[in-house]
Amino acid sequence: MQFSLQRLVLYPLGVARSGASRSSVRTSLRLSPSCRFLFSETGIWEKDYRAETRRKVEEWWKPRILAQWQKDTQEQDPSKKKFYVLSMFPYPSGRLHMGHVRVYTISDTIGLFQRMRGHKVLNPMGWDAFGLPAENAAIERGLDPEEWTKSNIQSMREQLDSLGLCFNWDREVTTCLPEYYRWTQYLFIKLFEAGLAYQKEAVVNWDPVDQTVLADEQVDENGRSWRSGAVVEQRLLTQWFIKTTNYAKPLLDALADLPEWYGVKAMQANWIGDCTGCYFDFKLKVNGEETGEALSAYSASPEAVFGAAYVAILPSHRLLHGSSSVRSALQQSFQAGRDCLTEVTALNLFTGQEVPVVISRREAFDAHLDTVIGTPSSSEADLGVATSLNLKWTDVLTSHEDGAQTVINSSEFSGLSREDAFRQITRKAREQKVGGHLTSSKLRDWLISRQRYWGTPIPLVHCGSCGPVAVPEEELPVILPKLPSLSGKGASPLELAHEWVDCKCPRCGGKARRETDTMDTFVDSAWYYFRYTDSSNTSRPFERHLADYWLPVDVYVGGKEHAVMHLYYARFFAHFCRDQGLVEHREPFKKLLVQGLIKGQTFRRADGGQYLKREEVNLKEEEPVALDGSRVAVTWEKMSKSKHNGLDPQEVVQQYGVDTVRLYILYAAPPEQDILWNVKTDALPGVLRWQARLWQLVTKLRSGRQLGDVPNPSRLKKKEQAEAQNIWRNKNYCIQEVTSNFTDDFLFNAAIARLMSLTNTLSAATVRVVQHSVEFEEALAALVVMTAPMTPHLSSELWAGLCQVNHPLSDSLRRGGDVLQQPWPAVDPKYLETPESVDISVLINNELRGRVTVPLQDSRDPELVQKRVLESPLGQEALRGRHVKRAILSPRVALINYLVE
């Protein structure tokens, strides 16, 4: 052990100690027959790439790659373009799963690639650290959720480091730390001051297991909680909302500016819906007296709002069931199954008109609406209700012979076409801040209140005189108090922190109480991409010039399950911050890469549905059965401990190596598709073989250059020159295709397939071409450089071996630096020139017989190519008199294959 430690110190990176020859080092190392050589460490190239070699390569290069990445992030070069690659930050559960490995492998690969293209890259990482799992775990184990969360973060950080991922750790954010949630609270106050954060009684979704409110989006189609799986109950509670409906139309319209969102754009548009109506604000009265109650009602025809006859609410409306001051008046008039005219009236703050409130006989309006404006001029249904109740209204639409309609009896808007009245009425309502924001009937405001402890405190106090008052900015953050214990039952746990709850009103100085609900964790993650640009700022959420420099995110990588809610909320926050003058860009993410799941094979009893472990199943039969003989249903599902189909990434990496796992993930399927994890498939053996073949290519070049002759391209014969030229073409085609795969569509599997094809070409090269051609050397150098973003450790060692080859011909091998510091290969300009002719390779029954030159304009026409081949000397000699069953032309690789009898 002492000997090996001395060797590590004395001979770094293959440089021998002064006075010690390379041969003496080699002799001393052979004292241990079991020793594996690492070129970067000893200067001795091992012929084959074995498991032990792989382990030593990764051990050697992992810290060096990470150190170089951190050094590069400190580089200040204003001439470089920025590239912001962002992967969705994880919840710190304590253990990585294969889904994490996939998303972070993809973002790491993109980040390394873009850095090699000369960009200044930001690839940050942080922790979505608030939420129910930590609180529930604390309750079960009697722990402090903060300590539990911090411990998990430390564990997961170590796991991420073990994968060799190059993150900008100096930008790390953790949402449960005061230095982060101070600014979440700051942004909430901005929303509150803008009239976009408000409190009201609402019928909410209550999770009886997690004892908290769920947003509608967190309830599945079976009426169950997205997290606990419990059947959701309906309760009436006073809740905080963010008025996202005010931004529905801008968010919908801005999707047109996101051409690279592909399928997710349609999902966002469907979520928002058609924004063809708007809300108007009302004040409620009883017997002409104001009640203090406010109400927003939806109109599908805003242009007809001056012709309103009534405002209708559903029987399930909060005004009929909560603590509203008009509840008794409404209940006195209510009769189930019929439209009920009430004593309550609603004053439209836009038109100044007062109309009665009607309790509808219907159980539901369109989509999620519970309050609508009845305008008989624009709706037959509304006309029927108004007529049956003998209500009065004003006709506000008149039709012309050509079918056009004009608005009448509508104040300053009279005489406008219906379309112009729609635009001008909604615009003026927005200006007066009494409604008018175009939205759909299916979209609701964002409910953010949670009756749990482990979340961002809402920075408001309730004063008996002043109502809800925002905490002054200089008093932020409102620190989450420590609680001796948590039960997870009943009202918000913060109610028990009496010293914290009782406070003074910032406005009048009187007695007040802090808000005891905490924010939904989606609020924390709705703006974290901003904070990464300036994560250490103690005076602002972020400096505008830094956010404007890095935003929008160039590529955002994450799971399908976040393609709607999270992206919608994040886009809303970005639009709001733009309107507040905090940033320049309205849309936060330029391009999305929504990756699929990694699924494992599951075995369930066909009768009871119980999940079985693999060892509990007999797989030798034609159809798998349980060991007791009962039938088993075999499926592929998202990996989970409860389904016995999960994998520990650490164990997989330990068995196969980091680079192998990275390659498998990138090669097994395109990013947006699911991966069915099965190590027996072709993908894993394929990438293992490919790594060994890459190693063999470097061995081949190093051996070829040790044969004694100094490389001399002029010594190549005509056939060898043609072979070298073919390598040159294949190299340039590979660079062109792989670069496109990395930038346009992220088809890493296609990129790997193309690199494997170039590997095949180089593996078939003859000895003299390896010895004397610059084309082989440059192609191999380009191959190793292009594999580096995907296999950084292996490629680093391959590059070290290449750069020390005898008599290098290529400038790229003399440049110096590790492989990840090399520029990305460029296509030779000559390759891009349009040739007048093309050499078509002619195969007969899959065997190469020669090449025929054909005009470029004929090269993609099968009939013309066949004619040229048959007229050539090669065709006359090889095909005359033979029956051709089929001729297959592949223009992309300039090849025609004749299948003959």
Short mmCIF file of all heavy atoms in Angstrom, two decimals, residues 262 535 862 877:
data_model
loop_
_atom_site.label_atom_id
_atom_site.label_comp_id
_atom_site.label_asym_id
_atom_site.label_seq_id
_atom_site.Cartn_x
_atom_site.Cartn_y
_atom_site.Cartn_z
N TYR A 262 -43.52 22.04 -28.41
CA TYR A 262 -44.10 20.84 -29.00
C TYR A 262 -45.41 20.43 -28.32
O TYR A 262 -46.30 21.24 -28.16
CB TYR A 262 -43.06 19.71 -29.01
CG TYR A 262 -41.76 20.14 -29.65
CD1 TYR A 262 -40.57 20.18 -28.93
CD2 TYR A 262 -41.72 20.56 -30.98
CE1 TYR A 262 -39.37 20.60 -29.52
CE2 TYR A 262 -40.55 20.99 -31.57
CZ TYR A 262 -39.38 21.00 -30.84
OH TYR A 262 -38.22 21.43 -31.41
N SER A 535 -28.25 33.90 -6.71
CA SER A 535 -28.71 33.14 -5.55
C SER A 535 -28.21 33.67 -4.21
O SER A 535 -28.74 33.30 -3.17
CB SER A 535 -28.29 31.67 -5.70
OG SER A 535 -26.87 31.56 -5.79
N PRO A 862 -33.47 6.23 -58.31
CA PRO A 862 -33.06 4.82 -58.41
C PRO A 862 -32.90 4.33 -59.86
O PRO A 862 -31.95 3.60 -60.15
CB PRO A 862 -34.20 4.07 -57.70
CG PRO A 862 -34.80 5.09 -56.78
CD PRO A 862 -34.68 6.40 -57.48
N GLU A 877 -19.24 -5.99 -66.02
CA GLU A 877 -18.50 -7.17 -65.58
C GLU A 877 -19.25 -7.97 -64.52
O GLU A 877 -19.30 -9.20 -64.58
CB GLU A 877 -17.14 -6.73 -65.03
CG GLU A 877 -16.30 -7.88 -64.48
CD GLU A 877 -15.00 -7.40 -63.86
OE1 GLU A 877 -14.61 -6.24 -64.12
OE2 GLU A 877 -14.40 -8.17 -63.09
#
